Structures are given as C-alpha cells and as structure tokens.
Amino acid sequence: MNSDENFRQQDIRIKCLNSSDTWIPFPDTAMDLSVVARFEEIAAVYPARIAIKMSDDQITYDELNRAANRVAHEILGRCGPAPEPIAIIMRLQIQALIAILGVLKAGKLYTAPDLQHPLDRIRLMLQNAQPPLLLTNDAQLNLAQALASDGGVVVNLDTPLASAADTNPGLALSPDSLFFITYTSGTTGQPKGVYCDHRAVMQRVQRYVNFSRIDDHARLGTTRYPGFTPRDLMTPLLIGGTLFLHDFQDADVVRWIDWLRQERITTFGASVSLVRQLLQTLQAPDLLPHLREIVAGGEALQRSDLALFQSKCGPQCCLRSSYGMTESLGGCVTFLMDQAMTIDGDRIPAGYRKDGFDVLILDDAGNPLLANAPGEIVVRSRYLCLGYWRQPELTASRFRPDPAGGNQRMYITGDRGYLTADGCLMHLGRKDEQLKIRNYLVEPVEVESALLALGHYRQAVVGARPNAHGEAMLVAWLVGGPDMPPASVVRRKLALTLPEYMIPAAFVMLDRMPLTPAGKVDRKALAPPTIERPEMTTDYRAPTNALELWLAACWEDVLGIQPVGVDDEFVDLGGDSLQAMRIISRVRAEIGEAIYVNAVFSAPTVASLANYLKRHYAPDVQRAFDVALAPTVAATVTAGVGSANRSMETIGRLRQIYRSNGRQLQAGSAADEKNPAAIFVLAPGRSGTTLLRVMLGGHPRLFAPPELWLLDYETLRHWQAAQTDGRSYRREGVLQALMHIRGCGLEQADQELDRYVRADLSTQAFYRVLQDAVAPRCLVDKTPSYIRSIDTLRAAEVEFHDARYIHLVRHPQAVIRSFVAAHFGQRDGLQDNLGITERELAEWNWLIAQQNILEFQREVPAQRWHRIRFEALVNQPRATAEILCEFLGLEFHDAMLKPYDDPKRRMTDGIHALTSMAGDPNFHAHDAINPAVADHWRSASDTTSLDAETLRVAEQLGYHQEGLTRGTPMDEDAALDDLVTQLESISDQEARLILNASSGSVS
C-alpha cells in the first residue's frame, strides 16, 4: 500500500458513507451505559418507529420493548436477578431478538447456538454454558426439550407467560455486566465459549456507527445468526434505525437481491461467500440504488470480488472488508473500496485499524517485526472479550496483559499477516493453515490470489495433500470460470509471478466449493487429487527405446502420475526441484557419473533428457542401456579452443550472461553505513575454494558457511526470485548459516529466512544480521559466482568496511580438467546454450574470473589483498595457513589443518537427504589434505593447449608457459624457469612457501 492510502480511505467514506444531515456520532457518554439502558432510551424517543422487520412481520420500538420486558419478568420470576447464561433455541426471527433483549433486561447473559450444528455439538455448548433456562418457540420445542434432557427448564415463548407485566424491570446494569456467550471452534474441534460485557458491545456499536456514519434512518440488513453478530443486531436498535432480517438458510440468491431492493437496505453485512454469490447473480448496478455499503467478513476478499463489485454496484456504494474475530467482537481493522479503487498485487488488504484497537505483528518469541515481515497477528485493546467461559487456562494463553501496562489487553489471534509501512494489515490466513512445502513456508492466500488474478476461475482454494512419497504437495481446488486453460498453461502463467515452490503440483476442478454451516469453505471436505495424467497441451507419446522407457517409469514413480509421455514437460506434470533431485539421484546411480539437477530443467521432457544423457554421458549410457549413439553424440568434448575470433565472440557472450546475472552497481553507489569487515574468497569454481573455506571454518575467530550467493543481488527478494528451477541449491548456504547461528533445525531457519525475504531486506542488511549474530567471529563468504561480474566485486567494497580478499589461484589446466571431470558446466546449463564444449566453457570461465579479479585487485589497497596458490595450500598447508592467519591478524590454530573433523561445525553436509554440501561434490572423497591432487591433472591424456589470452593471464599469475602448454611433467630446467617466473610475480610470503616446497613437485 502507498502512504496516501489512508487519505484515500477517508475520501471513500465521505463519498459513499456521507449520510443525511441527521447523522450524529454515537456519543462517548453512552459508553457509560449498558446496552439495556441505551435501548430503553431509544425506545422512549422512537416508540412508533419500526425497530425490526422480517418479511411481512414487523415490530415497533415500543412493542419490542414491552415484549422483551414480559420475557424479562418471566425469567426473573423463575431464576431471580443473579447473572447467569440463558439459552435461546430459535432461528433468526423477530422473536429471537425479543428473547435476547428480555434476557439482557433480566440481568442475564444469553447464548444462542447455531441450530445448523449437529445435535451433539450443541449439547457440548450447553454443557459448557450450563443455562438454567432454554427459551424457545413452537417450531423448535422438540429440539429444546431434547437438549434440556441434560439439565435446564424449557420456556416456550409461544405460550402465555406466567407474568403479564410489560414495564421495564429497572435493574441497575453497568457496562461491566455480562452480555453473551458465543461458541466457536477450538483447535481440538471442541467448541469454546467466548464471553463479553456490555461495554465491549457498546464500543463495537460506536465504532460501527461512527465509521460507517449510520444514522437513525439507516436500514440495516443482516442474514447472520444471532449468536455471532451483536454488532449487526444491536447497532440499529441503539440508534433508532431499522433492522431487516432475512432467513440465512434461504439459498435463492435472487430472493436475497429482491429483498435488498424492496426493503431499500442501505447497509448489508454477510459472509464473503454470500457476498460473492450475490454479486455474481446481480444483473445491473441500478438494481440496488439505495445500497451504500456492503460489509463482507469471515474470510478474505479476493481481487476478483472487487472486480465483481465494481461491475455490479453503483457509484453510491462501497465494499468494505472487515477483519476481526469473535474475541474482538468482529472487525478491528477494515478496508474500503469504491468504483475507482485499484489494488496493487493480488490480495485485498484486511485494512487499517479502527478506533480503540491496535494491531501488532510478533515473531514466535513475541518480539515486534519489521514492516512487511510476516508473523502472528496480535490485537491490543481495552474492548476485547473477557475470555473463554469456564476455561481459565485457555483464556490465560490467548488473552494477555499489555506489557506496557494500563487497562488494555492483548489477544493472540493465531492468524498470520504483516503490516505495510503505512500500517495496513495484510492477512495471510491461520497459522494452522500455513503450509510447509519442501521446507518452504507457503501462505495459501498468496497462491489463491495469484490463481484468481489469471481470470479463469471464480473461486480458488489452496491446501496440502500427501504426494506419492507421503510428502506434502501443493494442491489447488478451483471452481471454473470462462475459457479455462489446461493445467500446463496455468502453471506457466503462475511461474511469471510465483516462485517454483508456490506453484500447485495438482489441480482439482469443482462445480462448487463445499461449505461449512457458517458459510466458510470446508477444507476438510475437499477431494484429493487423482494420479491421472493432467490435461496437457501436448498429446501422449509412448517411449521408443530402453533409455526412454526407464526414464518414463522413473518419472511416473517420482511424480505419482500415470502415464508419462516422452514429450510431457516436467513442470507441466507438477514436477518440482525436490522431485528433480530424486530423478537425478536415480540417474546418477544408474550411469555412475556426476549429474546436476539442472539437467531436468535444461532437458525437461523424457525425450530431451534421454538425448541430453546420450550427448554428455555417451559411454555410460551405452553401457547401462545398450542404446545406439549417433556419431555427433559420441564426439569428443576435449577439443581445444577454436579460432581467436570465435573465442572472443563467445567470451563476450559469456561475459554478458555473467554480467546480467550479477550485481548491477550504479556509478557513484555508496552505502549509507558500511557493514563490519568480512572476508571474501575469490576464485573460479574447481579451484579448491571448498577446502580453503572449510580450513578457515576451523578457526574459532572465523565463521565460514557454504556459498551464500548474496552479493550478486541487492535485496533478498531478488536473491530468492533467482533460486528457480535447478538453482534452489543456492539457498542451502544461507540456511546452513542460520541453522548454525541459531542452533535450530531447518524449519525454524527457513521461517526466519522467509521473514527477512518478505520484509524485502537488503542483502547488505541481511549480511549485517549474520555478522551481528556471529560476532566477534568474522564472516567468510566463499561464493564463486561473485568473480563473474566486476560490479559484484565492487559491491563488497561499497558495503563492507575494510573487507579482506583472499585470491586463490590454481593451475588453469588443473581447473579445466576438474571442471570437465565433474561436468561442472551443466550446473548452470551454459554449455548447451552457447553451443560450446565443456572444455571450452571451463577455460573461458577461468579466464573471465581471473581477469575480473586482477582488475578488481588494482582498486583495493594492497594490505587488504592476499593471494594463495592451491598447490601450496595442499603441499604446505601449515605454512600457508600460518601466513594466511598473519594476513588476517589472527593466531594460527591447528584445527585449520583438520578440515574433515567436526562436519557439523564446518557445515560440510547437505541440509536435505537428497542434497550434498554446496561446493565441491567430491569433498568427502578424501579424509585429509592430499598433496597429490595438485599435480593429478598432469597424468591426463586429454590435456590440450590453452588460448593465447589464457596463457598470458596464467603467466601473470606466476605459472610458467612451459608448464602451461605441456601435458607431461616438466624437466628440471623447465621447472627451474617456472619457479623463477613465480618468484618474480608474487609476494615474499608466497615465495617462502614455494621455496619450501621446491624440493617436491613444482607447480
């Protein structure tokens, strides 16, 4: 919401709720009265005015007052004046209002169970309330007598009463007298009785009257059951207006519209479901010229509801969402909409707080959260209900004193939401409706809003059901509208606005939503999805060879769908990143080679994945599946770099891709306040950065989590939006860091991360969260993507005070060979996109990285820069670590030399059963620092010459050209030349290391 929205709300009130000149505010002086005293004052002022009307039956204020007095005298004659509950067993009708007022005049409190509930449930309510009397009529006499079998006396108001007195009983009732008990579902399914006093009801009426500017000529229509809506029932009776009742069991919406038109209703309140049906049925705006306010509550309004309202209602009318709960006597925040209202995003706001109420958003520890950060909604007010009838422990857990003191209390709602910067509440549903999908927290309302925004559905409900592996998957139940597309099209449309984990895995089409007796969607009655292949834009095509047959069977088992055609897209079948991991895990076990989850998204059908495997894993596929390979598929991938022109052109394209995926730092950018110093390890992938990171993590003064991938993005929302398809592994380093810092599990870490993302925290601010949490330890960030863009590197200088940089270099031939052996180019799918070999991608990735690092090095003071050679790191780990600690101003610790100890502290395991640590997938193939890996590449038969620019940069980094171009071990003269070249280009510290190691293998 923008900062002007509060003013916009006032404009709508003036335009649509500007009633006649007779309107005066509900007076503050009335707040010292009971509801009974206020009603008797109004009845004396307007004795002949119609108080209540239902169909052809109506009653004046004087008649209503006298009838209620007769009931009150009957109750007093039977029970005396002691405050106690009286049950009203009637349907919504004038007689029920007479009974309510009679109970109140007798100094009692009433409870009116919803007669749509099962008999056993009503019995539970009455067992809790323990009423000595049950007021009923002929229509419900049998029911009342059945309920009275557990205790209580039945009084039939259709028979002559013992007392004929119709004068006011004259009891001295204060605003603190008890008013009613109403029952709502508890978390265990047992009804819980919420009770309140007259003061809360009077304040509820006051805020309704003063907000909606209801005057004594108002004609308020309601359909709700009397046990739940003292606002609707009491408001007109306490200002001299007329209450119009309609049978809430009437399912004919056309009759609802006729009733609104014939009775010239000005303000109408109903559940969201009923309002939606009414608007869908309404034919033209001029049908309801007198209606100026529709109040919809009970559920969240949807953007399509606003569009319906704007097309079906006139300019004199406004639509108002009302968010509240029984414990606050209804709406404590509200949001007004008119014909000109536009909504940013897919959700209708719950609204702004009303007078007398504050709304807070707290985290699980009870601490206030930042704007836009979701948490639990807490309502603070003097006018909350008193608690739960005869349930003191439950009352104490949900109603709490205000920590600030005073006469206000706080109600813990159990709802989730967030406040915008200007104080507008966005409701996200119940905490117990919040879904956990693959360790992501999903708010169903967000997905529902996105589905409705597509314009294909009238209603959408999103929930979770178990998939074929017993894990929660997201399911959408939809009531169709015009031109419904196939599920595959819907998924692709949703992918434009939602992250992958929020896209439903299954869609279930319904003729109508099942409803509870209260008119809300009955989520428990929603049918589970089937295992049938969903509607697709492509026709089914069967597998044609052993590889496709095996892959199709694998997909069917993992996705829980049959049959899977070879042309069916993975995401169109409801596939997600976790299921992609399962598929890749099975493929890896079958062919015996490293393969990345991105393969499923790069080759998203069975047919294309089969071709992908034949192209990149030719020998293994042929061995495992006996599949004939085309010559182009079996071609070597170890050819050297092509022509200079081709190299320059492709390097340029690769640079552009890297630049577009990295930070876009503006000229002159400067952070308002820099973060404390951090350490950044700079090197391309396969340079040994994981080993160095884990060694650093062994130092008690350093905190070195796996790759964070943060510096590439300005905000956490940008960061999360990029973790799509096969890149979800990029969240794992941050989650590992939070789990380690907080000493918590994955779920709690994910919840905390989700709060920061929703608050749209900048990555700099989130770095500060991590840094403050681990202080006085220094944060180490080892993320190879940073060196792909010079602007990303510069962001470290902009946002961190005196950042330190460790440049880890490794022989380019060693990096290239490791890159190819690990099929590292497939991790981001760049090789196929550029039409180059994996060998070429490996070399150019190394070259671009080193060029960026060397350029950036010139911009950083020398005292904050340190270069390490991988060859020295594994051959002389102690000396290398000692010099590194000297650079960082730290004492050396022996634990740095034991990187395979304490995997939990070093964060060298994956966070999920199907994932490994982000970084080197072969890290656990060793159990100690191994010097042999430095020269392992020299024995390879596929080592080829390097591009001229690669040779130049490698020599600049100290690698002698003889050692760069040869694929065999160097002779002694060449080794000596290489050693001299290195000594000329490096620091004194590094020179000592190389001289110490010169008796061994020279790099």
Side-chain angles (χ1 to χ4, degrees):
M1 305 303 297
N2 59 59
S3 59
D4 296 329
E5 186 53 46
N6 253 316
F7 296 102
R8 170 82 176 116
Q9 295 284 293
Q10 297 304 318
D11 290 342
I12 299 174
R13 285 183 66 192
I14 293 171
K15 183 184 72 170
C16 298
L17 303 179
N18 187 23
S19 57
S20 68
D21 293 336
T22 62
W23 176 75
I24 57 173
F26 194 89
D28 289 338
T29 54
M31 301 305 293
D32 294 326
L33 301 175
S34 68
V35 170
V36 170
R38 174 67 180 180
F39 169 74
E40 290 175 349
E41 284 185 355
I42 295 298
V45 175
Y46 304 106
R49 180 171 287 180
I50 301 300
I52 309 171
K53 183 178 181 184
M54 185 172 188
S55 299
D56 296 329
D57 193 12
Q58 62 185 34
I59 190 170
T60 66
Y61 272 91
D62 183 65
E63 292 168 340
L64 176 60
N65 189 45
R66 291 180 184 277
N69 288 338
R70 287 191 289 272
V71 173
H73 286 295
E74 180 73 19
I75 295 171
L76 288 168
R78 289 175 178 270
C79 301
E84 56 192 338
I86 302 295
I88 298 173
I89 310 300
M90 298 182 195
R91 298 203 179 278
L92 182 62
Q93 58 192 95
I94 293 175
Q95 196 175 35
L97 270 295
I98 293 172
I100 288 173
L101 287 169
V103 170
L104 296 174
K105 282 172 171 281
K108 314 291 185 180
L109 63 158
Y110 75 90
T111 184
D114 187 341
L115 302 188
Q116 292 187 98
H117 286 304
L119 183 62
D120 288 345
R121 183 173 178 82
I122 298 175
R123 279 202 174 101
L124 288 173
M125 298 176 187
L126 297 186
Q127 287 170 6
N128 176 256
Q130 299 179 14
L133 293 180
L134 286 76
L135 305 184
T136 188
N137 53 17
D138 287 341
Q140 305 300 328
L141 182 60
N142 290 338
L143 173 61
Q145 289 173 339
L147 292 169
S149 62
D150 296 328
V153 175
V154 175
V155 177
N156 184 356
L157 298 183
D158 280 338
T159 62
L161 300 179
S163 173
D166 62 1
T167 57
N168 292 338
L171 296 181
L173 301 175
S174 77
D176 298 321
S177 300
L178 298 183
F179 183 86
F180 84 150
I181 306 171
T182 187
Y183 284 87
T184 183
S185 296
T187 55
T188 63
Q190 296 295 314
K192 53 186 181 181
V194 180
Y195 71 107
C196 72
D197 55 20
H198 285 240
R199 186 188 308 279
V201 175
M202 290 292 286
Q203 197 276 341
R204 184 70 183 90
V205 171
Q206 183 187 53
R207 68 181 188 260
Y208 187 21
V209 169
N210 291 351
F211 183 88
S212 294
R213 303 190 178 194
I214 300 170
D215 61 24
D216 58 358
H217 295 288
R219 304 168 70 86
L220 278 73
T222 188
T223 64
R224 306 191 221 195
Y225 197 75
F228 293 88
T229 54
R231 179 204 69 182
D232 292 347
L233 300 179
M234 292 296 132
T235 296
L237 301 182
L238 300 186
I239 62 172
T242 302
L243 173 65
F244 291 85
L245 302 178
H246 191 81
D247 186 358
F248 67 99
Q249 289 185 308
D250 186 355
D252 190 338
V253 182
V254 174
R255 284 202 293 268
W256 288 91
I257 296 171
D258 290 340
W259 168 68
L260 290 169
R261 183 178 65 254
Q262 292 167 7
E263 300 293 3
R264 305 190 309 280
I265 303 298
T266 57
T267 300
F268 172 63
S271 68
V272 168
S273 296
L274 180 56
V275 168
R276 184 177 296 131
Q277 292 178 51
L278 187 146
L279 293 173
Q280 289 170 348
T281 308
L282 193 62
Q283 296 299 313
D286 58 356
L287 287 179
L288 301 174
H290 301 283
L291 190 62
R292 60 188 185 88
E293 183 182 39
I294 301 173
V295 184
E299 293 180 89
L301 280 167
Q302 298 165 344
R303 193 173 182 178
S304 57
D305 297 324
L306 174 59
L308 268 175
F309 162 76
Q310 291 174 333
S311 65
K312 298 295 184 71
C313 292
Q316 84 289 346
C317 187
C318 68
L319 175 64
R320 179 153 71 90
S321 69
S322 179
Y323 167 75
M325 57 290 305
T326 308
E327 289 82 354
S328 66
L329 277 185
C332 48
V333 302
T334 194
F335 190 78
L336 279 171
M337 292 156 279
D338 63 0
Q339 296 296 323
M341 172 63 70
T342 58
I343 297 293
D344 296 330
D346 298 323
R347 297 192 304 280
I348 299 292
Y352 296 90
R353 70 177 185 87
K354 289 185 177 179
D355 291 343
F357 285 84
D358 290 323
V359 176
L360 312 172
I361 306 295
L362 305 182
D363 64 17
D364 292 338
N367 302 311
L369 289 169
L370 302 169
N372 298 315
E376 184 164 15
I377 301 172
V378 173
V379 177
R380 179 171 60 192
S381 176
R382 178 189 178 190
Y383 303 106
L384 295 170
C385 289
L386 299 176
Y388 300 106
W389 188 255
R390 294 196 173 103
Q391 291 183 277
E393 293 182 0
L394 180 60
T395 298
S397 69
R398 302 297 290 273
F399 293 87
R400 299 175 187 173
D402 183 1
N407 58 6
Q408 297 193 112
R409 291 180 302 144
M410 298 171 63
Y411 173 64
I412 314 301
T413 67
D415 286 355
R416 285 179 52 78
Y418 62 90
L419 289 170
T420 62
D422 71 334
C424 186
L425 176 66
M426 305 297 289
H427 184 246
L428 298 174
R430 296 287 300 167
K431 283 182 70 176
D432 51 16
E433 290 176 357
Q434 188 182 39
L435 306 176
K436 195 64 177 287
I437 305 294
R438 294 163 20 229
N439 287 313
Y440 292 95
L441 291 171
V442 176
E443 309 289 356
V445 66
E446 293 190 69
V447 187
E448 292 164 0
S449 297
L451 282 163
L452 292 168
L454 300 178
H456 304 305
Y457 310 108
R458 293 196 300 271
Q459 282 183 272
V461 171
V462 171
R465 290 290 187 272
N467 63 13
H469 299 272
E471 299 158 339
M473 70 173 178
L474 211 57
V475 180
W477 289 267
L478 304 164
V479 175
D483 304 322
M484 288 184 295
S488 57
V489 174
V490 174
R491 285 194 178 94
R492 293 181 183 279
K493 288 184 176 182
L494 290 176
L496 299 176
T497 58
L498 296 179
E500 175 236 27
Y501 65 88
M502 291 178 66
I503 298 175
F507 296 88
V508 180
M509 298 306 303
L510 303 172
D511 293 329
R512 66 183 63 180
M513 291 289 177
L515 301 179
T516 65
K520 298 182 180 181
V521 173
D522 188 352
R523 292 176 178 266
K524 294 180 181 179
L526 293 167
T530 68
I531 65 170
E532 295 178 2
R533 179 176 178 266
E535 186 181 359
M536 310 279 285
T537 55
T538 57
D539 295 330
Y540 172 79
R541 188 165 70 88
T544 59
N545 56 53
L547 178 57
E548 289 182 347
L549 191 64
W550 183 85
L551 286 172
C554 177
W555 284 33
E556 288 173 352
D557 184 53
V558 169
L559 297 173
I561 292 174
Q562 290 181 344
V564 169
V566 296
D567 298 322
D568 295 345
E569 296 267 355
F570 179 71
V571 295
D572 292 345
L573 295 170
D576 56 47
S577 57
L578 182 59
Q579 290 167 324
M581 290 180 195
R582 283 199 170 95
I583 291 172
I584 291 304
S585 178
R586 296 187 184 191
V587 173
R588 185 184 299 123
E590 195 71 16
I591 68 174
E593 280 287 336
I595 180 172
Y596 299 94
V597 70
N598 187 68
V600 175
F601 298 98
S602 299
T605 68
V606 166
S608 61
L609 183 58
N611 288 332
Y612 179 96
L613 295 174
K614 288 189 288 186
R615 182 168 65 254
H616 294 289
Y617 301 89
D620 304 291
V621 168
Q622 193 165 30
R623 171 189 51 77
F625 297 100
D626 193 26
V627 175
L629 304 177
T632 55
V633 173
T636 180
V637 295
T638 59
V641 178
S643 68
N645 288 339
R646 177 174 177 269
S647 297
M648 294 301 295
E649 177 185 351
T650 310
I651 289 174
R653 290 169 59 197
L654 190 58
R655 275 189 174 278
Q656 184 59 40
I657 292 172
Y658 287 160
R659 192 177 299 116
S660 64
N661 289 334
R663 190 73 168 268
Q664 304 297 312
L665 201 65
Q666 302 299 317
S669 296
D672 294 334
E673 182 179 351
K674 289 192 174 187
N675 284 10
I679 300 167
F680 293 91
V681 176
L682 307 181
R686 315 307 301 166
S687 296
T689 54
T690 295
L691 174 62
L692 177 58
R693 192 270 297 177
V694 177
M695 290 176 67
L696 290 169
H699 198 290
R701 294 288 303 278
L702 300 177
F703 178 72
E707 284 105 332
L708 299 176
W709 308 93
L710 290 169
L711 200 62
D712 284 321
Y713 308 97
E714 291 186 20
T715 71
L716 284 183
R717 282 189 179 174
H718 293 150
W719 171 82
Q720 174 138 304
Q723 319 312 328
T724 57
D725 295 340
R727 296 182 181 179
S728 59
Y729 66 89
R730 293 187 175 184
R731 288 172 51 92
E732 296 194 4
V734 170
L735 290 171
Q736 283 263 39
L738 288 173
M739 290 164 65
H740 183 93
I741 289 170
R742 307 299 187 204
C744 66
L746 178 57
E747 182 171 348
Q748 183 178 335
D750 196 55
Q751 289 175 350
E752 180 176 356
L753 177 58
D754 186 65
R755 289 199 296 270
Y756 295 133
V757 171
R758 290 179 182 275
D760 203 19
L761 211 64
S762 69
T763 51
Q764 182 187 2
F766 183 64
Y767 268 120
R768 185 62 183 261
V769 169
L770 299 179
Q771 289 180 284
D772 288 346
V774 302
R777 289 181 291 172
C778 184
L779 176 68
V780 178
D781 188 353
K782 185 278 295 187
T783 306
S785 67
Y786 299 166
I787 45 83
R788 293 177 171 183
S789 168
I790 189 69
D791 276 351
T792 298
L793 294 174
R794 287 169 177 154
E797 279 293 280
V798 168
E799 296 177 355
F800 293 85
H801 179 74
D802 287 342
R804 300 295 182 96
Y805 304 96
I806 302 172
H807 181 192
L808 178 64
V809 296
R810 186 180 185 184
H811 198 295
Q813 291 282 27
V815 172
I816 292 167
R817 182 183 184 280
S818 178
F819 190 102
V820 172
H823 297 280
F824 212 64
Q826 298 172 34
R827 197 173 190 180
D828 291 323
L830 289 174
Q831 176 189 346
D832 292 335
N833 292 337
L834 292 170
I836 59 178
T837 67
E838 203 155 35
R839 165 66 177 72
E840 290 173 317
L841 178 61
E843 179 174 342
W844 290 331
N845 184 71
W846 184 93
L847 175 61
I848 291 171
Q850 300 299 350
Q851 288 174 331
N852 287 339
I853 293 171
L854 292 172
E855 180 181 352
F856 179 59
Q857 180 183 358
R858 291 192 289 269
E859 304 172 9
V860 177
Q863 64 269 24
R864 291 197 279 115
W865 193 276
H866 182 68
R867 184 178 295 158
I868 294 176
R869 296 181 186 280
F870 174 78
E871 294 82 3
L873 182 67
V874 295
N875 279 287
Q876 296 285 326
R878 173 177 289 274
T880 304
E882 288 175 347
I883 294 173
L884 179 55
C885 287
E886 183 181 334
F887 163 70
L888 296 174
L890 302 173
E891 293 183 359
F892 170 74
H893 274 261
D894 282 332
M896 297 178 69
L897 305 181
K898 302 174 182 178
Y900 294 90
D901 291 356
D902 197 4
K904 183 176 180 180
R905 185 179 186 279
R906 308 290 182 104
M907 293 170 274
T908 56
D909 293 324
I911 63 171
H912 191 279
L914 292 174
T915 63
S916 58
M917 167 193 61
D920 184 2
N922 297 321
F923 178 79
H924 291 287
H926 307 282
D927 55 12
I929 299 173
N930 182 8
V933 299
D935 290 330
H936 183 62
W937 64 274
R938 296 184 184 278
S939 62
S941 60
D942 60 356
T943 303
T944 56
S945 61
L946 300 172
D947 184 81
E949 182 62 15
T950 306
L951 291 170
R952 187 191 68 79
V953 172
E955 284 197 279
Q956 188 177 348
L957 293 174
Y959 292 100
H960 188 266
Q961 186 170 6
E962 180 70 14
L964 291 166
T965 55
R966 290 189 178 187
T968 56
M970 292 181 287
D971 57 29
E972 292 184 4
D973 291 338
L976 182 59
D977 290 341
D978 186 68
L979 176 61
V980 172
T981 302
Q982 292 184 52
L983 294 177
E984 291 173 348
S985 63
I986 60 179
S987 66
D988 291 342
Q989 293 172 329
E990 289 182 290
R992 293 204 309 271
L993 287 177
I994 293 176
L995 287 171
N996 288 338
S998 60
S999 59
S1001 175
V1002 178
S1003 58

